[in-house]
Amino acid sequence: MRRIPSLLPLAAACAVTLSACTGTKPPAPQGDRVFTLGSPTQVMADWDPASQYTNPGNSAMRAMYDTLTFYDAASGKVKPSLATGWKSSRDGKVWTFTLRAGVRFHNGNPVDATAVKNAILRTKKLGQGAGYMFQRITSVDTPAANTVVFHVSRPTPLDMIMSAAYSAWIYDTSAASGKDLAKWFQAGRDAGSGPYTVEKWKAGQNDELTLKAVPSYWGGWARSHYSKVAFQVIPQESTSASLLRSGQLDYVMRLSPQLATTFAHDPQFKVVSGATWQNLILFYNAAGGPLKDARLRQALAHSIDYKGIISALQGTAVQENGIIPAGLFGHSDSVPLWQQDTAKARNLLTQAGYGPGRKKLRLTMTVTQGDSAGELAATLMKSSLASLNVDLTVQHLQAATKYAKAHSADASKRQDMTLLYWNPDYPDAETWFQSLVHTANPPQFNFSYYSDKTLDAKIDSVQALTVTDRNKAAKVYEAMEQTVYDQAPLQALFTVKPQRVMSSGVAGFSENPAYADVVFFHDLHPRD
C-alpha cells in the first residue's frame, strides 16, 4: 500500500533450514550486526496483522510473522511454512492443514490449531486489508492440536491464499491479555512467530523502527545473520543515495534510473533489477465530477504518452496489455494495449464539450510524495493534456494524506485522478478486480468509485472457476479485462521493474514477485 512504491522457503527443505531436519536451532546472531534499510515513506502506518496493507510495512510484517504456506514464484508452487502439509476435498470446499510441531509465538504461547483458527477468523471478521480473502470461510474445525480444517462456501484455492502477502499472518489473538487487541497492536507491538520482533518504534521519526532477532525462532539461524534490522524513513532519493555511499544504509528500496546508474560500476554496491507483478494503476473518478463521463476517461487514456513514460523511466518499467501483469494466470494479450492517439482523444473531448477551442477541463490528480516514477508520469501527463486544453493540477501528498483524501466521505473532496501501485494479495489475478474494480462502499482501494453489478458477478465467480475450470476462468478474465478497457475506470500505466541498490557486503538477497518490495531479512547475511 499499498502501495508506493525468501524468508527462506520457510524451512521447506532440509538443505536450507537446519532445524527442520535436526530439531536443533543454531543460536541467533551475536553482536550488533545491523541491516539498515531506507524507505521513502512511513513504514508502520498500521501494526495490526489483520489490516496492515502497505509495502514498506510488509517487509517488517514478514520479519515478525509467518503464514501457513509460502509461494515460491521460481517453481510456481506453494511451499510449507507454519503448515507442513495440506489437502483439499475434490470440490475444493474443505481444506485440511497440518501444522509444524513445536512452534511458539514470541510470547511463548503455542502456534497450534486453535491459535490459527482464532487469527484467521479475527482477520475475516475485521474485513480489512486483504481480509476479503477469507470471507468464503464458513467454519473452522480443530480436530487435533496440529490440524486445522477450513470449510468454504465455494471452491477456493486456500493453499495459495494462505501464502498471501497481506492479512494471512498467523498471530496470537490472546497477546493483549484481555485488553483491546487492536489498540495493543497500534502501540507498536507484535504477536508473531517470525525471526524478528520489535525492539523500538519511533512513530513519525526518521529512525522509525528497529527489529531484533528472536533466538528461539523455529526456522533457526544457520549462518551469521543480521542481529537487527533498522528502517530509516528518507523521502528524498538523493539523500538515500548519499547515505548509501557513506555506509549509513545497506539497502535502498528503489532509486530513480539516473541515481541507480551512478552505482552500477562501483564494486562497493550492487544494483538489482527484476521482474515484478506490481503495476502503477491510474484511477479516474467515475462516480463524480467531469470524469463520470466515460468519454472523458477514454479521452484521457488516449492522451497519455506511454512510450515517453517508459523511455523516461530507463528500463525500470514496461507497458503491458490490461491490468493483470504477464506471468499471472488471467493475463491476456488479446486485451488492447493503450496507445497515445491524440486525434481520438481530441474527438472524445469534443463530444463531451471540452478540448481545444472549447471549455477548459480542469482536473486534480494526487501522487505519493517521494514516488519519483509516479511523479515523472504525472509531469508527462500534465504536459500532454495541456495541448488538449486540459488543465491538470498535480498534488504531491504524503501517502496517509493521499489515502485520506481518496477515502473522504464527502465525495466532493475526492480527487479526479490518483496513482496507486498494486500487486497481488496472493498470486492470482482476482485481487486486481476484487480490490480495485468491485463495487465497494465505503471504498477501500476502488478509487475510481466504479460500480458495475454485471462485472461484480463475474468477479465473484472467477475464483471458484480457477479451481474447477481454468479454461472457463481464463475467458471470464478476458471479458473482465475488456470491460475495464472499454469503460476505463482505471488503467495500468506500466509494470514496475525496480532498481534496488545495496551494499555489496550484503549476501542472500532475492526477489519474489508474489511479495512486492519485500526484503526477506532472514535470508540475508553479511558477506564476510
Side-chain angles (χ1 to χ4, degrees):
M1 249 202 138
R2 200 143 103 129
R3 282 157 158 171
I4 32 180
S6 124
L7 283 172
L8 295 169
L10 298 171
C14 295
V16 230
T17 304
L18 180 62
S19 63
C21 304
T22 66
T24 63
K25 296 181 177 65
Q30 300 297 311
D32 255 0
R33 308 193 79 162
V34 183
F35 179 83
T36 306
L37 177 150
S39 170
T41 64
Q42 177 185 3
V43 178
M44 297 304 293
D46 185 351
W47 278 87
D48 196 324
S51 55
Q52 196 287 135
Y53 214 30
T54 70
N55 282 350
N58 203 30
S59 280
M61 296 298 277
R62 189 152 290 276
M64 295 183 285
Y65 294 92
D66 295 310
T67 49
L68 289 182
T69 59
F70 179 84
Y71 186 79
D72 179 14
S75 65
K77 295 181 179 179
V78 179
K79 299 283 186 75
S81 179
L82 290 178
T84 57
W86 52 90
K87 61 182 180 180
S88 72
S89 58
R90 287 188 176 183
D91 62 3
K93 296 172 68 174
V94 180
W95 286 83
T96 302
F97 290 82
T98 301
L99 303 181
R100 191 177 301 278
V103 180
R104 293 186 174 274
F105 293 111
H106 298 156
N107 61 13
N109 291 338
V111 181
D112 57 16
T114 299
V116 170
K117 172 183 176 179
N118 290 342
I120 296 298
L121 289 183
R122 177 180 179 270
T123 298
K124 174 192 173 182
K125 181 179 180 180
L126 291 179
Q128 300 176 36
Y132 72 88
M133 300 182 300
F134 304 117
Q135 295 311 306
R136 291 172 187 162
I137 294 175
T138 56
S139 63
V140 184
D141 297 328
T142 55
N146 70 335
T147 306
V148 190
V149 182
F150 295 93
H151 301 266
V152 292
S153 58
R154 68 174 89 174
T156 302
L158 209 57
D159 57 338
M160 193 173 289
I161 287 174
M162 290 301 178
S163 74
Y166 310 90
S167 303
W169 311 115
I170 304 304
Y171 53 94
D172 185 4
T173 59
S174 68
S177 301
K179 298 180 181 178
D180 187 308
L181 182 60
K183 291 183 179 179
W184 185 87
F185 279 128
Q186 301 307 343
R189 302 184 178 103
D190 78 271
S193 60
Y196 292 87
T197 189
V198 184
E199 179 176 82
K200 59 183 177 182
W201 177 52
K202 301 178 181 179
Q205 302 299 308
N206 290 340
D207 55 338
E208 181 186 351
L209 176 65
T210 302
L211 305 177
K212 61 181 180 180
V214 177
S216 59
Y217 174 55
W218 62 267
W221 300 93
R223 53 172 70 93
S224 56
H225 297 261
Y226 289 96
S227 60
K228 295 183 181 181
V229 175
F231 291 82
Q232 297 282 329
V233 180
I234 309 167
Q236 300 300 322
E237 288 189 332
S238 58
T239 304
S240 293
S242 296
L243 292 174
L244 191 61
R245 290 190 190 283
S246 67
Q248 297 178 67
L249 289 179
D250 295 299
Y251 173 91
V252 176
M253 182 180 296
R254 62 182 64 179
L255 288 177
S256 67
Q258 294 82 2
L259 277 174
T261 299
T262 66
F263 291 90
H265 303 293
D266 188 331
Q268 296 183 74
F269 303 97
K270 294 184 291 185
V271 179
V272 180
S273 180
T276 73
W277 292 335
Q278 183 182 57
N279 51 19
L280 182 61
I281 303 292
L282 171 60
F283 292 86
Y284 302 106
N285 187 338
L291 299 188
K292 189 173 182 179
D293 188 331
R295 295 172 300 181
L296 290 180
R297 302 196 298 269
Q298 293 161 352
L300 296 184
H302 282 298
S303 74
I304 297 171
D305 182 6
Y306 301 97
K307 291 181 180 179
I309 292 173
I310 298 300
S311 175
L313 290 173
Q314 299 181 27
T316 61
V318 294
Q319 189 188 6
E320 296 183 323
N321 307 69
I323 63 174
I324 304 169
L328 274 175
F329 176 74
H331 173 82
S332 174
D333 285 336
S334 68
V335 181
L337 190 70
W338 282 109
Q339 298 183 36
Q340 186 179 35
D341 188 333
T342 304
K344 183 176 288 188
R346 184 182 295 111
N347 183 50
L348 288 164
L349 284 165
T350 299
Q351 290 178 30
Y354 296 93
R358 293 176 178 266
K359 183 170 57 174
K360 185 181 290 289
L361 178 59
R362 301 183 186 278
L363 301 170
T364 60
M365 177 175 173
T366 59
V367 181
T368 303
Q369 185 177 348
D371 170 24
S372 60
E375 291 176 335
L376 184 149
T379 298
L380 294 179
M381 289 169 60
K382 180 180 177 67
S383 177
S384 296
L385 289 171
S387 65
L388 295 169
N389 199 29
V390 178
D391 182 11
L392 179 64
T393 299
V394 180
Q395 299 177 345
H396 303 264
L397 306 176
Q398 289 290 335
T401 304
K402 188 181 80 165
Y403 288 117
K405 184 177 182 66
H407 287 129
S408 176
D410 183 349
S412 67
K413 294 182 179 180
R414 297 170 179 170
Q415 68 292 320
D416 297 304
M417 302 158 65
T418 192
L419 290 173
L420 174 74
Y421 288 97
W422 196 258
N423 45 270
D425 298 321
Y426 67 99
D428 187 274
E430 187 212 20
T431 65
W432 271 265
F433 290 97
Q434 189 66 245
S435 296
L436 308 184
V437 185
H438 196 286
T439 301
N441 188 21
Q444 188 175 15
F445 291 101
N446 180 346
F447 292 152
S448 63
Y449 318 106
Y450 182 70
S451 180
D452 180 335
K453 297 301 182 183
T454 300
L455 183 57
D456 287 350
K458 292 177 181 177
I459 296 171
D460 290 338
S461 69
V462 72
Q463 188 182 67
L465 289 174
T466 299
V467 178
T468 60
D469 190 338
R470 287 178 72 84
N471 290 333
K472 189 172 182 180
K475 292 179 181 178
V476 172
Y477 272 122
E478 185 175 322
M480 289 159 56
E481 283 273 34
Q482 189 64 52
T483 297
V484 170
Y485 179 88
D486 293 339
Q487 294 299 312
L490 56 84
Q491 62 179 133
L493 288 184
F494 55 78
T495 298
V496 177
K497 291 183 65 178
Q499 291 186 328
R500 327 284 194 188
V501 184
M502 69 192 76
S503 166
S504 58
V506 177
F509 179 85
S510 64
E511 291 215 60
N512 186 328
Y515 304 97
D517 289 334
V518 168
V519 179
F520 299 95
F521 300 117
H522 185 258
D523 279 358
L524 303 181
H525 57 95
R527 194 186 301 277
D528 295 321

PDB file of all heavy atoms in Angstrom, residues 375-387:
ATOM      1  N   GLU A 375       5.680  10.544  -9.969  1.00  0.00           N
ATOM      2  CA  GLU A 375       5.780  11.986 -10.191  1.00  0.00           C
ATOM      3  C   GLU A 375       6.200  12.286 -11.627  1.00  0.00           C
ATOM      4  O   GLU A 375       5.707  13.231 -12.246  1.00  0.00           O
ATOM      5  CB  GLU A 375       6.755  12.593  -9.187  1.00  0.00           C
ATOM      6  CG  GLU A 375       6.220  12.560  -7.749  1.00  0.00           C
ATOM      7  CD  GLU A 375       7.215  13.071  -6.726  1.00  0.00           C
ATOM      8  OE1 GLU A 375       8.434  13.015  -7.009  1.00  0.00           O
ATOM      9  OE2 GLU A 375       6.779  13.525  -5.647  1.00  0.00           O
ATOM     10  N   LEU A 376       7.103  11.479 -12.168  1.00  0.00           N
ATOM     11  CA  LEU A 376       7.522  11.673 -13.554  1.00  0.00           C
ATOM     12  C   LEU A 376       6.354  11.427 -14.506  1.00  0.00           C
ATOM     13  O   LEU A 376       6.121  12.209 -15.435  1.00  0.00           O
ATOM     14  CB  LEU A 376       8.682  10.728 -13.880  1.00  0.00           C
ATOM     15  CG  LEU A 376       9.327  10.853 -15.256  1.00  0.00           C
ATOM     16  CD1 LEU A 376      10.800  10.481 -15.206  1.00  0.00           C
ATOM     17  CD2 LEU A 376       8.624   9.956 -16.276  1.00  0.00           C
ATOM     18  N   ALA A 377       5.614  10.332 -14.273  1.00  0.00           N
ATOM     19  CA  ALA A 377       4.458  10.027 -15.124  1.00  0.00           C
ATOM     20  C   ALA A 377       3.444  11.163 -15.073  1.00  0.00           C
ATOM     21  O   ALA A 377       2.881  11.567 -16.102  1.00  0.00           O
ATOM     22  CB  ALA A 377       3.816   8.714 -14.688  1.00  0.00           C
ATOM     23  N   ALA A 378       3.220  11.704 -13.875  1.00  0.00           N
ATOM     24  CA  ALA A 378       2.262  12.803 -13.725  1.00  0.00           C
ATOM     25  C   ALA A 378       2.713  14.044 -14.486  1.00  0.00           C
ATOM     26  O   ALA A 378       1.904  14.731 -15.118  1.00  0.00           O
ATOM     27  CB  ALA A 378       2.081  13.126 -12.244  1.00  0.00           C
ATOM     28  N   THR A 379       4.011  14.335 -14.440  1.00  0.00           N
ATOM     29  CA  THR A 379       4.537  15.504 -15.148  1.00  0.00           C
ATOM     30  C   THR A 379       4.330  15.365 -16.659  1.00  0.00           C
ATOM     31  O   THR A 379       3.911  16.323 -17.339  1.00  0.00           O
ATOM     32  CB  THR A 379       6.035  15.675 -14.842  1.00  0.00           C
ATOM     33  OG1 THR A 379       6.196  15.913 -13.442  1.00  0.00           O
ATOM     34  CG2 THR A 379       6.620  16.842 -15.611  1.00  0.00           C
ATOM     35  N   LEU A 380       4.607  14.188 -17.197  1.00  0.00           N
ATOM     36  CA  LEU A 380       4.434  13.967 -18.632  1.00  0.00           C
ATOM     37  C   LEU A 380       2.965  13.982 -19.025  1.00  0.00           C
ATOM     38  O   LEU A 380       2.601  14.478 -20.102  1.00  0.00           O
ATOM     39  CB  LEU A 380       5.087  12.643 -19.039  1.00  0.00           C
ATOM     40  CG  LEU A 380       6.615  12.600 -18.906  1.00  0.00           C
ATOM     41  CD1 LEU A 380       7.147  11.228 -19.321  1.00  0.00           C
ATOM     42  CD2 LEU A 380       7.261  13.691 -19.742  1.00  0.00           C
ATOM     43  N   MET A 381       2.100  13.470 -18.152  1.00  0.00           N
ATOM     44  CA  MET A 381       0.669  13.507 -18.425  1.00  0.00           C
ATOM     45  C   MET A 381       0.168  14.948 -18.456  1.00  0.00           C
ATOM     46  O   MET A 381      -0.621  15.332 -19.323  1.00  0.00           O
ATOM     47  CB  MET A 381      -0.086  12.692 -17.375  1.00  0.00           C
ATOM     48  CG  MET A 381       0.106  11.188 -17.500  1.00  0.00           C
ATOM     49  SD  MET A 381      -0.528  10.291 -16.063  1.00  0.00           S
ATOM     50  CE  MET A 381      -2.237  10.777 -16.100  1.00  0.00           C
ATOM     51  N   LYS A 382       0.611  15.741 -17.508  1.00  0.00           N
ATOM     52  CA  LYS A 382       0.201  17.153 -17.451  1.00  0.00           C
ATOM     53  C   LYS A 382       0.583  17.871 -18.737  1.00  0.00           C
ATOM     54  O   LYS A 382      -0.208  18.650 -19.297  1.00  0.00           O
ATOM     55  CB  LYS A 382       0.853  17.828 -16.245  1.00  0.00           C
ATOM     56  CG  LYS A 382       0.516  19.300 -16.070  1.00  0.00           C
ATOM     57  CD  LYS A 382       1.216  19.877 -14.850  1.00  0.00           C
ATOM     58  CE  LYS A 382       0.940  21.363 -14.694  1.00  0.00           C
ATOM     59  NZ  LYS A 382      -0.473  21.632 -14.381  1.00  0.00           N
ATOM     60  N   SER A 383       1.781  17.568 -19.236  1.00  0.00           N
ATOM     61  CA  SER A 383       2.249  18.198 -20.459  1.00  0.00           C
ATOM     62  C   SER A 383       1.410  17.785 -21.666  1.00  0.00           C
ATOM     63  O   SER A 383       1.019  18.621 -22.485  1.00  0.00           O
ATOM     64  CB  SER A 383       3.722  17.832 -20.691  1.00  0.00           C
ATOM     65  OG  SER A 383       4.184  18.367 -21.909  1.00  0.00           O
ATOM     66  N   SER A 384       1.102  16.495 -21.780  1.00  0.00           N
ATOM     67  CA  SER A 384       0.300  16.002 -22.905  1.00  0.00           C
ATOM     68  C   SER A 384      -1.106  16.594 -22.884  1.00  0.00           C
ATOM     69  O   SER A 384      -1.660  16.960 -23.925  1.00  0.00           O
ATOM     70  CB  SER A 384       0.222  14.478 -22.869  1.00  0.00           C
ATOM     71  OG  SER A 384       1.483  13.888 -23.041  1.00  0.00           O
ATOM     72  N   LEU A 385      -1.678  16.700 -21.707  1.00  0.00           N
ATOM     73  CA  LEU A 385      -3.054  17.188 -21.582  1.00  0.00           C
ATOM     74  C   LEU A 385      -3.161  18.690 -21.849  1.00  0.00           C
ATOM     75  O   LEU A 385      -4.205  19.169 -22.305  1.00  0.00           O
ATOM     76  CB  LEU A 385      -3.603  16.860 -20.193  1.00  0.00           C
ATOM     77  CG  LEU A 385      -3.898  15.381 -19.945  1.00  0.00           C
ATOM     78  CD1 LEU A 385      -4.217  15.137 -18.479  1.00  0.00           C
ATOM     79  CD2 LEU A 385      -5.044  14.904 -20.825  1.00  0.00           C
ATOM     80  N   ALA A 386      -2.101  19.430 -21.566  1.00  0.00           N
ATOM     81  CA  ALA A 386      -2.143  20.879 -21.764  1.00  0.00           C
ATOM     82  C   ALA A 386      -2.442  21.229 -23.220  1.00  0.00           C
ATOM     83  O   ALA A 386      -3.167  22.195 -23.504  1.00  0.00           O
ATOM     84  CB  ALA A 386      -0.826  21.499 -21.330  1.00  0.00           C
ATOM     85  N   SER A 387      -1.926  20.422 -24.151  1.00  0.00           N
ATOM     86  CA  SER A 387      -2.159  20.702 -25.576  1.00  0.00           C
ATOM     87  C   SER A 387      -3.592  20.407 -25.994  1.00  0.00           C
ATOM     88  O   SER A 387      -4.011  20.786 -27.089  1.00  0.00           O
ATOM     89  CB  SER A 387      -1.195  19.870 -26.428  1.00  0.00           C
ATOM     90  OG  SER A 387      -1.463  18.486 -26.290  1.00  0.00           O
TER      91      SER A 387
END
